[in-house]
Amino acid sequence: MSIFKRLPLQRKLMSMLLLISSTVLTLATAGFALHDWYDSRLQATENLRSQADIISTNSIAALTFGDAESARVTLESLDNVQDIVLAVLYDADKKLFAKYAPGNFPVPTLPTSSEGEIDGALYVLRPVMMDHDAIGYTLLLSDLGSLTTRQADQIGIAFIVFLLSLIVALLLSSVAQLIITRPITELAMTVRKITRTRNYQLRVRNRSEDEIGSLATDFNLMIEQIQARDNQLEQARQLLEEKVKDRTAELLLLTQQLEHQAFHDSLTGLPNRATFDNNLNTAIHYAQRSNEQLAVMFLDLDRFKDINDTLGHEMGDRLLVELSARLQHCLRSSDTLARLGGDEFAVLTNNTSQNRAADIATKLIRTIQTPVDIDGFNLQVTTSLGISIYPADGDDATTIVKHADTAMYYSKAAGRNQFSFFAKEMNIRSERRIHLAQKLRQAIEEQRFEVYYQPKWCIRRNVIVGLEALIRWFDADEGAIPPDEFIPLAEDQGLIGLVDQWVIKKACADILQVRQQFGEHIQLSVNFSPAHFIRRDLYKRIAEILTETGFPGESLELEITETFMATENEQLLEQLNQIRSLGVEISIDDFGIAYSSLSRLKRLPLNTLKIDRSFIRDIGSDRDDEVIVKTIIDMAHNLNLKVVAEGVETREQLAFVRHHNCDQVQGFLFSPPVPLEQLICLMEQQESLVQA
């Protein structure tokens, strides 16, 4: 059975057809032989009956008269009857009366049945009747040899017919299996070819309209659907490959961007601190082997926060990008310029000397100092720079960087816009700065400051017309800490806003008392940090202070640095106009050290210009400064602005500004900044002189 399962479909079908055909033919042949054998015996028996009836009829007389000879003659009449081997006539007592035995066939015992076989011969026993009485019996025996021979001949013929029929069946089966299996074979071959080549355009030819034809049609429809699905999958695969390719490119680009961001500043594109540290460590290792020097420079832009606070961070970012490009042009390709964050930059120069580092630092400072024009804004910043040299100032990267940072802060403390080489004593100043920053925060929380007041004198009337509030810090351990030491620190630490807010509130309360005692003509001036302008509620906070203290807004003047006012900003203009609506006047402090255009001065709601003390100091010795002072006074008056000269310390300086119609003066020639008690005494002395 397992062998049959492994046979091809053609052979299976062929075998089944042959098996069916041979079985049918065998059954038909066997049936035909059995029928012929039965029919032949029946015919032979019928012939014997007829002969026996004739003999019985013809033997009535012989039996009646006991004529055995006549009976024998009658029996011998069977000589011409084929296959008779014995004829016997019995009397009524069933005794042998006469016989005919052409083949000497022995006479058998009289059988009991009327028909049957005896010793391979067919017999018939018939009674001889007369008047309904049996007067004897006739027994005829017929040889079956001829019947068997004829039967064998019939079987041979049937076998030949069987073989011929089997051959015909084989031929017909072959044709039938071809008719049936050919489309199935073609279908199978097509399936295998499609499977092997994945060519879904192949189709099965439909040769019939039967079930196999329907199968072929359904198969072709299935292949069409598979082809359509395969086309969709191919399109999807191509789309997926394109997306994967695009995504891979995006991921590669993102990886490159992330790698770049990991080692570069996102704004300027310069190396960041991590890259700078790596390059510095590599440079130190190389310098050790080559016995060379290298320099590390730390740069911090001076008062850059003012630009961010007034013009916004977007303008500040654009300025940083421009300054970064400038700095790069000042350096060699082998040098490293990095942005460490905010407005801090670092420079690494290889194979250099102290003189070479000083030249580079000078070039960098000059480059930064050159004004930058962005969207019509003429911006100018300066930088403080610190330098440390390897190996003189340290033998590892951490120490070199720390000492450059320390030297940078020393440059800031020394007046900014300069560079300093690291010296060991600077560490003391660095530690001092950290210690002072901690104390400053505590002093702000506990309000350990005092407010001193420096009078402003009217030149024409020679009387005090205004007071500038100046903060002072007296520490319990250190005593007086100079403003030029803690004010820049407060700016760097982001604490100047809290300091200014406390000063204006305290000064309003103090001067309100002075005004009540000496008259309401006294005006209060307070320095105001640009940091306040970041907040949108500046107008509200000033109004709250005026309401809380009861100080009149028209007697308050806010002094804002020219650096802050030198840039044009709609938000700044809006806030200044809001402040002016309170009656508060606006003054530009330290005028002349920045780059203010006349168009901006005209737009801003200003009341006063204060000439920077650096121009007043050189009156009498510097002709250029005298021209600048005279020009500022004339320009301010043409713009309907008051002019205040700061830092007047000599009679010659006073005479010069008076000659050129300066409105007010302020300086040690009249009075240094004094506490409220001394101010009251000074006001009382002035009042006594006026009355006298």
Side-chain angles (χ1 to χ4, degrees), residues 404-415:
D405 189 41
T406 300
M408 182 270 292
Y409 278 109
Y410 183 84
S411 297
K412 279 187 175 292

Side-chain angles (χ1 to χ4, degrees), residues 107-174:
V107 178
T109 304
L110 187 67
T112 58
S113 60
S114 62
E115 294 177 0
E117 286 186 16
I118 299 175
D119 296 331
L122 185 65
Y123 77 89
V124 174
L125 181 64
R126 304 296 290 178
V128 179
M129 303 297 294
M130 188 179 70
D131 297 331
H132 304 291
D133 291 328
I135 61 174
Y137 298 93
T138 301
L139 175 64
L140 296 181
L141 277 77
S142 176
D143 186 13
L144 294 177
S146 61
L147 180 62
T148 302
T149 301
R150 191 173 66 85
Q151 191 71 33
D153 293 339
Q154 292 291 337
I155 291 175
I157 295 172
F159 182 72
I160 293 173
V161 172
F162 171 77
L163 291 178
L164 292 175
S165 300
L166 191 60
I167 293 172
V168 173
L170 178 62
L171 295 175
L172 294 178
S173 298
S174 178

Side-chain angles (χ1 to χ4, degrees), residues 518-662:
F518 298 103
E520 296 182 354
H521 64 281
I522 303 298
Q523 186 180 43
L524 171 63
S525 299
V526 181
N527 292 295
F528 211 61
S529 171
H532 294 285
F533 287 87
I534 302 176
R535 302 178 58 175
R536 290 286 186 177
D537 61 345
L538 178 59
Y539 162 82
K540 179 181 178 181
R541 289 189 292 114
I542 294 177
E544 289 176 351
I545 292 175
L546 295 177
T547 302
E548 183 179 349
T549 60
F551 196 86
E554 60 273 9
S555 297
L556 177 64
E557 181 182 64
L558 299 183
E559 295 186 5
I560 303 173
T561 60
E562 184 191 11
T563 304
F564 173 72
M565 303 291 286
T567 53
E568 190 170 356
N569 182 279
E570 293 300 327
Q571 178 184 342
L572 169 64
L573 182 61
E574 178 184 352
Q575 289 181 306
L576 290 177
N577 285 324
Q578 289 178 342
I579 294 172
R580 286 290 293 121
S581 68
L582 297 172
V584 178
E585 295 187 357
I586 306 297
S587 170
I588 294 183
D589 195 12
D590 302 329
F591 186 80
I593 62 174
Y595 292 81
S596 298
S597 68
L598 292 177
S599 62
R600 282 193 287 272
L601 291 177
K602 182 178 180 181
R603 286 194 63 196
L604 295 174
L606 302 178
N607 303 95
T608 305
L609 294 183
K610 293 186 71 175
I611 304 174
D612 186 70
R613 65 181 68 249
S614 62
F615 299 109
I616 303 298
R617 181 176 58 243
D618 295 331
I619 288 177
S621 60
D622 190 327
R623 176 62 181 169
D624 291 337
D625 282 349
E626 292 177 357
V627 172
I628 290 174
V629 171
K630 178 181 180 302
T631 302
I632 291 175
I633 294 173
D634 292 340
M635 178 193 67
H637 287 160
N638 289 332
L639 294 174
N640 295 321
L641 300 177
K642 294 182 296 183
V643 182
V644 179
E646 289 186 292
V648 176
E649 298 180 357
T650 66
R651 293 290 179 182
E652 184 179 7
Q653 295 169 353
L654 176 62
F656 182 86
V657 297
R658 175 182 284 136
H659 176 72
H660 291 287
N661 299 319
C662 183

Side-chain angles (χ1 to χ4, degrees), residues 302-586:
D302 299 327
R303 305 186 188 280
F304 179 77
K305 190 172 183 294
D306 293 348
I307 294 178
N308 273 341
D309 293 343
T310 55
L311 298 181
H313 289 277
E314 181 181 357
M315 184 67 72
D317 290 345
R318 295 176 64 181
L319 178 60
L320 287 174
V321 172
E322 174 63 27
L323 295 180
S324 299
R326 288 187 181 183
L327 291 174
Q328 283 184 302
H329 288 123
C330 296
L331 301 173
R332 301 171 298 182
S333 60
S334 59
D335 298 333
T336 299
L337 171 65
R339 183 187 178 209
L340 305 184
D343 57 348
E344 290 185 346
F345 296 86
V347 176
L348 168 63
T349 59
N350 299 306
N351 191 19
T352 188
S353 62
Q354 189 170 11
N355 291 336
R356 166 70 177 164
D359 292 341
I360 295 175
T362 301
K363 186 186 298 185
L364 295 177
I365 290 175
R366 289 176 179 174
T367 298
I368 294 294
Q369 195 174 12
T370 304
V372 179
D373 191 340
I374 300 178
D375 292 344
F377 295 102
N378 196 15
L379 307 177
Q380 182 187 30
V381 293
T382 59
T383 183
S384 299
L385 192 149
I387 309 172
S388 62
I389 304 295
Y390 172 85
D393 297 329
D395 56 2
D396 61 86
T398 302
T399 303
I400 294 295
V401 170
K402 176 183 176 183
H403 288 170
D405 189 41
T406 300
M408 182 270 292
Y409 278 109
Y410 183 84
S411 297
K412 279 187 175 292
R416 307 175 191 269
N417 196 29
Q418 58 185 289
F419 69 88
S420 302
F421 283 96
F422 172 76
K424 292 183 179 180
E425 57 269 17
M426 289 182 182
N427 281 329
I428 300 176
R429 295 183 61 89
S430 178
E431 294 174 359
R432 162 68 176 170
R433 186 174 181 276
I434 295 174
H435 175 68
L436 191 63
Q438 295 175 347
K439 299 188 73 170
L440 178 62
R441 292 181 182 276
Q442 186 176 2
I444 292 175
E445 293 176 0
E446 299 177 0
Q447 297 185 359
R448 296 181 183 176
F449 301 105
E450 294 185 16
V451 179
Y452 275 40
Y453 301 94
Q454 186 174 30
K456 295 180 184 179
W457 294 75
C458 177
I459 290 181
R460 290 185 295 273
R461 295 187 291 126
N462 197 28
V463 295
I464 298 174
V465 293
L467 301 167
E468 180 180 0
L470 301 169
I471 189 171
R472 294 293 183 265
W473 181 13
F474 298 95
D475 185 68
D477 299 326
E478 302 184 23
I481 299 177
D484 57 359
E485 183 177 7
F486 73 84
I487 291 297
L489 181 61
E491 292 176 346
D492 293 338
Q493 297 291 322
L495 303 174
I496 193 65
L498 296 175
V499 173
D500 284 352
Q501 190 168 348
W502 179 84
V503 169
I504 187 173
K505 189 173 182 179
K506 180 70 166 63
C508 284
D510 288 347
I511 303 308
L512 185 62
Q513 177 183 348
V514 173
R515 286 168 55 86
Q516 292 173 351
Q517 183 174 352
F518 298 103
E520 296 182 354
H521 64 281
I522 303 298
Q523 186 180 43
L524 171 63
S525 299
V526 181
N527 292 295
F528 211 61
S529 171
H532 294 285
F533 287 87
I534 302 176
R535 302 178 58 175
R536 290 286 186 177
D537 61 345
L538 178 59
Y539 162 82
K540 179 181 178 181
R541 289 189 292 114
I542 294 177
E544 289 176 351
I545 292 175
L546 295 177
T547 302
E548 183 179 349
T549 60
F551 196 86
E554 60 273 9
S555 297
L556 177 64
E557 181 182 64
L558 299 183
E559 295 186 5
I560 303 173
T561 60
E562 184 191 11
T563 304
F564 173 72
M565 303 291 286
T567 53
E568 190 170 356
N569 182 279
E570 293 300 327
Q571 178 184 342
L572 169 64
L573 182 61
E574 178 184 352
Q575 289 181 306
L576 290 177
N577 285 324
Q578 289 178 342
I579 294 172
R580 286 290 293 121
S581 68
L582 297 172
V584 178
E585 295 187 357
I586 306 297

